[in-house]
């Protein structure tokens, strides 16, 4: 069941540059998307979300873009900082009543090079 | 800042034994969840819980699993007879409401090792 896919298992970016993490989904019922960041031995930490009525949401250095027709979303981090090095998970949910589970992608390990 | 807490951080058990994983969700949250992550795999949904009953469960959540909110603060996951393949990180999460903008906040996880 690959309803949410993150095709890049890893990404390395120079400090100060832009990091772009990508996520694709197949289930057209998904209408809410989230990005989580995870450090080793910790739980996922919520970063930013977007509902399907929007195509962009921005919070500080983090911006999420949603392309519903392509069933694609991306997370932009600019400028990238060493503390951003972590595994990033894309997650999606369908907000109809009683269906609140998050479906996660496999994650992308981001390494910021000083 | 309020956070979800989980105990223990690491549980080692023998195959066939019962384990109870404990969580304290954020105090004004109403929706509670368990997820797990087997080493090297993605985070998978197990069960959601609202108003003292299960609202959704995955096919992983079979008769060996149960959840309970025994008091006003704790949320527990019980595995009745553990199997080797139950070894994983188990994450509890909570959210204030459902629908759009229902960010789920995760605890640090319990690493379960079944020998």
């Amino acid at each position: 069941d690959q309803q949410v896919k993150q095709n890049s298992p890893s990404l390395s970016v120079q400090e100060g540059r832009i990091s772009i993490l990508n996520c694709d989904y197949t289930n057209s019922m998904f209408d809410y998307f989230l990005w989580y960041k995870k450090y080793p031995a910790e739980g996922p930490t919520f970063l930013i979300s977007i509902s399907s009525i929007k195509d962009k949401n921005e919070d500080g250095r983090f911006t999420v873009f949603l392309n519903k027709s392509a069933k694609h979303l991306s997370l932009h981090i600019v400028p990238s900082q060493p503390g951003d090095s972590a595994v990033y998970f894309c997650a999606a949910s369908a907000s109809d009543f009683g269906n609140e589970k998050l479906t996660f992608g496999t994650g992308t390990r981001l390494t910021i090079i000083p | 800042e309020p956070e979800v807490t989980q105990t223990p951080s690491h549980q080692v058990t023998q195959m066939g034994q019962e384990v109870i994983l404990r969580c304290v969700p954020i105090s004004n949250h109403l929706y509670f969840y368990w997820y797990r992550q087997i080493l090297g795999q993605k985070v998978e949904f197990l069960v959601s819980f609202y108003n003292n009953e299960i609202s959704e469960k995955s096919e992983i959540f079979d008769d060996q699993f149960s959840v309970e909110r025994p008091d006003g603060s704790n949320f527990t996951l019980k595995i009745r007879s553990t199997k080797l393949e139950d070894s994983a990180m188990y994450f509890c999460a909570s959210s204030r409401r459902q629908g759009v903008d229902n960010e789920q906040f995760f605890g640090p996880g319990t690493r379960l090792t079944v020998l």
Side-chain angles (χ1 to χ4, degrees):
Chain A
D1 180 0
Q2 291 277 322
Q3 295 189 72
V4 178
K5 300 180 201 179
Q6 293 176 257
N7 291 319
S8 299
S10 63
L11 175 68
S12 294
V13 174
Q14 206 77 34
E15 181 180 358
R17 307 294 289 266
I18 184 170
S19 295
I20 300 176
L21 297 101
N22 294 303
C23 178
D24 297 293
Y25 62 96
T26 56
N27 187 342
S28 57
M29 297 300 293
F30 288 148
D31 59 1
Y32 186 55
F33 305 90
L34 308 90
W35 284 94
Y36 285 85
K37 173 181 177 179
K38 187 177 180 304
Y39 294 117
E42 293 186 13
T45 302
F46 170 74
L47 270 180
I48 192 168
S49 62
I50 188 166
S51 73
S52 59
I53 62 173
K54 297 182 178 179
D55 54 21
K56 176 182 173 181
N57 189 26
E58 193 171 351
D59 184 1
R61 295 186 299 115
F62 302 94
T63 303
V64 56
F65 295 92
L66 175 63
N67 182 335
K68 279 188 298 183
S69 60
K71 294 193 176 67
H72 176 84
L73 63 154
S74 61
L75 174 68
H76 293 209
I77 306 172
V78 58
S80 301
Q81 299 173 354
D84 296 330
S85 294
V87 178
Y88 288 78
F89 291 97
C90 168
S93 70
S95 60
D96 55 315
F97 181 76
N99 188 12
E100 301 305 317
K101 68 177 184 184
L102 294 179
T103 301
F104 282 84
T106 49
T108 296
R109 180 177 301 280
L110 176 64
T111 302
I112 304 303
I113 304 164
Chain B
E1 186 171 325
E3 58 183 18
V4 177
T5 59
Q6 291 185 243
T7 54
S9 57
H10 191 187
Q11 174 94 45
V12 181
T13 190
Q14 295 289 327
M15 190 170 59
Q17 295 296 304
E18 174 182 288
V19 294
I20 297 176
L21 310 182
R22 302 179 194 281
C23 168
V24 179
I26 294 172
S27 62
N28 63 347
H29 285 189
L30 302 176
Y31 299 85
F32 314 114
Y33 314 84
W34 284 100
Y35 292 81
R36 78 172 185 191
Q37 185 181 28
I38 294 172
L39 187 64
Q41 298 185 24
K42 61 173 146 182
V43 177
E44 300 174 288
F45 169 79
L46 291 178
V47 65
S48 58
F49 190 86
Y50 168 69
N51 200 25
N52 279 320
E53 60 183 30
I54 290 173
S55 49
E56 187 178 2
K57 60 184 181 179
S58 71
E59 61 258 22
I60 302 168
F61 195 89
D62 60 23
D63 292 344
Q64 293 301 310
F65 291 87
S66 62
V67 289
E68 194 178 32
R69 189 154 161 82
D71 53 43
S73 60
N74 289 284
F75 179 51
T76 62
L77 174 69
K78 182 194 290 187
I79 309 175
R80 264 179 268 282
S81 177
T82 50
K83 303 189 281 283
L84 295 176
E85 54 265 35
D86 293 328
S87 294
M89 282 291 289
Y90 287 80
F91 296 107
C92 173
S94 68
S95 65
R96 197 152 23 121
R97 55 185 178 274
Q98 61 179 194
V100 171
D101 293 331
N102 73 332
E103 295 90 9
Q104 293 179 24
F105 293 88
F106 284 74
T110 293
R111 178 173 299 284
L112 176 65
T113 302
V114 182
L115 303 176

